[in-house]
Amino acid sequence: MSEQTIDAAGLVRMLVESIVDNPDDLNVVQSEEGGGDILVEISVNEEDAGKVIGRQGRVIKAIRTLARAAAMRSGKHVDVEIVD
């Protein structure tokens, strides 16, 4: 099976841009960790952080679930974090 490249950062960017009020302040960085795992870090305006997290963390949990589901086909593990 050929190794597929996943653009987890692109998926996360698309999802978060539709939620936030200040999409110009959005910064999404994808990096590869040991073992081929992918880390996606999201940085947003302070005013938008609550929207991305959601009540009881439901929105960020849904974003993480979608990113992980997209990466499953390539056999990678994706972790999505919000950074200050």
Side-chain angles (χ1 to χ4, degrees):
M1 187 164 124
S2 66
E3 178 130 353
Q4 296 176 340
T5 306
I6 175 172
D7 183 20
L11 173 64
V12 171
R13 176 178 295 281
M14 181 192 66
L15 293 169
V16 175
E17 276 182 344
S18 64
I19 298 171
V20 297
D21 290 332
N22 303 303
D24 295 335
D25 295 338
L26 174 63
N27 187 22
V28 180
V29 177
Q30 178 174 322
S31 60
E32 200 155 320
E33 297 180 324
D37 293 346
I38 299 171
L39 174 64
V40 179
E41 295 179 327
I42 307 170
S43 177
V44 295
N45 189 309
E46 287 181 25
E47 298 171 1
D48 294 327
K51 292 179 181 181
V52 175
I53 295 170
R55 288 191 178 177
Q56 298 180 352
R58 288 185 181 137
V59 174
I60 191 64
K61 184 177 178 182
I63 292 170
R64 287 178 178 137
T65 300
L66 288 170
R68 288 177 182 151
M72 283 181 85
R73 177 165 246 177
S74 65
K76 304 247 181 188
H77 175 76
V78 175
D79 195 20
V80 179
E81 296 294 327
I82 299 177
V83 295
D84 294 333

